[in-house]
Amino acid sequence: MFLEIDQLTMRFGGLIAVNNVSISIEKGEVHGLIGPNGSGKTTIFNVLSGYYKPSGGKIIFEGRQISGLPAHQITATGFARTFQNMRLFKSMTVMENLLVAMGYRAGVGLWQEIFDPVAVHREEQTFTEKAIELLDLLEVAEFANEPATSLPYGHQRRVEIARALATNPKVILLDEPAAGLNEIETEELRKILVRIHDRGITILLVEHDMKLVMEACETITVLDYGRKIAEGTATAIRKDPVVIEAYLGKEGNP
Amino acid sequence: MSVTSIFFQTLIGGIGIGSLYALVALGYSMTFRSMGLVNFAQGSIYMVGTYFGIIWYQGMVMNLHVPYAAAFLIGLLCNALLGIVLERIFRPLAKLDLMLMLLATIGLGFILDNLFTIIFGATGFAVNSPLPNTPWIIFGVRVLPQMALLIGVSFSLMIGNQLFLSRTKWGRAMRASAVDYEIARAMGIPTNRMNALALSIGCMMSAAAGILAAPIVYVSPSMGVAVGLKGFAAAILGGLGSVPGAIAGGLVYGVLEALSAGYISSTWTQAIAYIVMVVVLMVKPSGIVGEITVEKV
Amino acid sequence: MRKITRILRWILILAVACLMLVLPWIAQNRYQVHIANNIGIWLLLSLGLNIAMGYAGQYNLALGALWGVGAYTAALLQTRLGVPFWINLPLSIIAAAVIAAFVGLPSFKVRSHYLALVTIALGEAMNLVLVNEVPITGGADGIGHIQMPNFFGFPINNDERYYYIILIMVILGYVLGRQIVSHRIGRAFRALRDDFQAARAMGVNTGFYQILAFAISGAYAGAAGALYAQLNTYISPDIFTFNSALIVLTMILVGGMGSLPGSIVGTVLLLVLNEYLQVFQRWQLVGYGIAIIVVVLFLPGGVVELARKFGNFRRRWLAGLSKGKSDAEAG
């Protein structure tokens, strides 16, 4: 199994945010994670990216257990993520944001960083080219030297995705990338997801925009109050009475 | 003297010093709780308050020798006014980046320390106790009357403060505005005035600590540096923002320091005190009681 | 227009460089050269602290004590073991860097005001060691009779000759500092300062870089210490305190945190004012305190920010001028 979330439980004091959730994800999949607010989606992301240590259960990636590893090591294993509330580095330009994400792959050692400017320059050239390529993919290359947080909202979202891709991931966790986007922008986002998928990167998508989820995802897992209540293809999920109940129940429809 | 009486003597000394730290720690916690601000100038405020009171008692002002109790009250009053002024200064600071806020209060302390050094000179002076210098013997333990006064008055102040906060209308208003700034304002509580009150109380406590301790420690413009650091550590030990925590933290810190000075080595006491502080901060940064984080607007 | 400003800028740099090179000759007396040497030492401290605090956001308020580590290492090696300058300088750098790394360890567990407190406490504890370990450090009396350097028979025994050593070290410090902050290390520092968690998610080994920031500032402090000891031939613990760290802090704050040229501006400005105002020592310190508050409240980016604002204003004014001209021509 490529990525295995195995009986994951996450407890915060008395609150159980994630309750015995198991999800299997195949390589190259586009996997959606949906559920009403507070169902545990972002918590699962936080465990996956190493921000939390699971209270119970484990995460197995390509045969190795990664749960409990420090966040930066998990990134090095091949996980990238974006954040729900968008966390670009505000003192830096778009390009610099991406270069940071490539930093851990640097071949230049610490001593050389300070005393061998030629090697540093050469490597930075390579990284800059790769970064431009990613920014092109996300169609924001023209803003490479602008301060990252000065861009319009939709573009910042793309920069965040480009930055995550800059870590050269095998899996990318996208946390509500469509939040705040209009219909046109969401459609562009869907195309971006296709491009990412075409590169062989596995995508895990937390989203509230149902249209996007249904169109983009091959498999969808549905959570409610920290538990998995359904899993399957978009068509299956749409018709699943348990899912409908969970969503409609939340909105308080009679 | 027996081993036990030496122990209790050291303990009393520790409680005395601890009361000092507790009063200063109160200043830190009350400021943090109401304004979300860590006031690195608290040690300097302690020093300033001491001078405000002691100069009247020492005959440094127009050769008047004001009685100790009156000098004490004058010092408290002056520092209370200082607290109100500080609230005005801290208002714009409270909204800033944490680092900048810290630096500004450090700068403030710097100003106060050096200003007072200019006015009074770098060397300090010794202060005579208003009470006789022969130690009382309580249950076989020698206690200096001044020490007893320090402990007695400190505890009275701390209890009084606690009663004020929990029983009176003003106290409750203060706590409300600390817990939720927006709602307090919406309810018509003048939050700025509440903050000024909190700061005044904190500054008064520091002044009290200094004036009470003056006959025991040496009075000089640099007296606030070490006490300020340790008071802060004590406040963190008890949980920054918690009033009972500040008291507990101060007492524990004082006792630990006295015991280590008495039983380990007095030259190394200071260094040990600092290292203990570091260890505590690393092991449990939220303190014994737990940090009360402040929702800043 | 831009090409002219670029050429002007290079001419300016060249002029300043020439000035720096011939300073001992054009100075009116030895005292002025001594001031320049003093400025150089504080410059190293400022550069180091700015890298740790301004870029990486790590409070290293133990800097004064680390300066002392460098000074005492050089002093002890020189007086007890006769180690020559060009060996005890790197050794002091390493010693201070290593101890700084240890000072930085708490940064894993504590942040912001707690870290500030911890580093102040550790700095004071180290200073106490210097004061109390009399047999080794000479206690409050310090260490005297430190020899000035001697390069294979060429004695560096006065301020003028020492000046060039300090000049080289400052230039080296600046160039290396620039190299550090402009590439991967600098970006990692800024990332961990901007958003610690996001930095980790992007693969930045934040723990490593935090310690590195401390070590780098320690290295600069160590160099400053070794230079200080062998210039003044006498050291004592009372300058290696939190007070000194505060002074350096004021310098980088006034000049511009997070800007290496800012450190230079701030340091030079404050020290030169120091000399030319010739005011009673304590008032200067009161002035420093006021400067901190003023900068924090009104100009957190320091002089550098002021320069940038001025540059923007000038650019817009020039743009307005040329627009007015073209409007007039069109109309």
Side-chain angles (χ1 to χ4, degrees), chain B residues 78-159:
Chain B
C78 290
N79 251 27
L81 290 171
L82 179 64
I84 297 176
V85 171
L86 282 179
E87 189 271 326
R88 245 356 224 96
I89 300 178
F90 285 166
R91 230 184 280 171
L93 289 179
K95 305 189 188 98
L96 290 175
D97 193 46
L98 199 62
M99 192 188 254
L100 292 176
M101 183 211 295
L102 227 62
L103 295 177
T105 57
I106 291 179
L108 184 67
F110 217 44
I111 294 176
L112 289 172
D113 284 348
N114 286 296
L115 208 56
F116 272 67
T117 311
I118 293 174
I119 301 175
F120 293 103
T123 41
F125 50 86
V127 174
N128 288 322
S129 170
L131 300 173
N133 263 325
T134 41
W136 298 336
I137 314 246
I138 307 175
F139 299 116
V141 182
R142 297 173 117 100
V143 181
L144 271 179
Q146 184 67 29
M147 184 66 84
L149 184 68
L150 168 62
I151 297 177
V153 177
S154 299
F155 272 80
S156 311
L157 284 173
M158 292 191 272
I159 295 173

Side-chain angles (χ1 to χ4, degrees), chain A residues 228-240:
Chain A
K228 179 161 97 171
I229 61 173
E231 193 172 76
T233 62
T235 22
I237 292 295
R238 204 176 302 160
K239 303 207 200 97
D240 191 326

Side-chain angles (χ1 to χ4, degrees), chain B residues 98-99 103 106 114 291, chain C residues 59 109 112 114 246 249 282:
Chain B
L98 199 62
M99 192 188 254
L103 295 177
I106 291 179
N114 286 296
E291 175 171 320
Chain C
Y59 293 83
K109 287 223 118 190
S112 60
Y114 297 144
L246 262 176
L249 194 58
R282 291 285 167 180

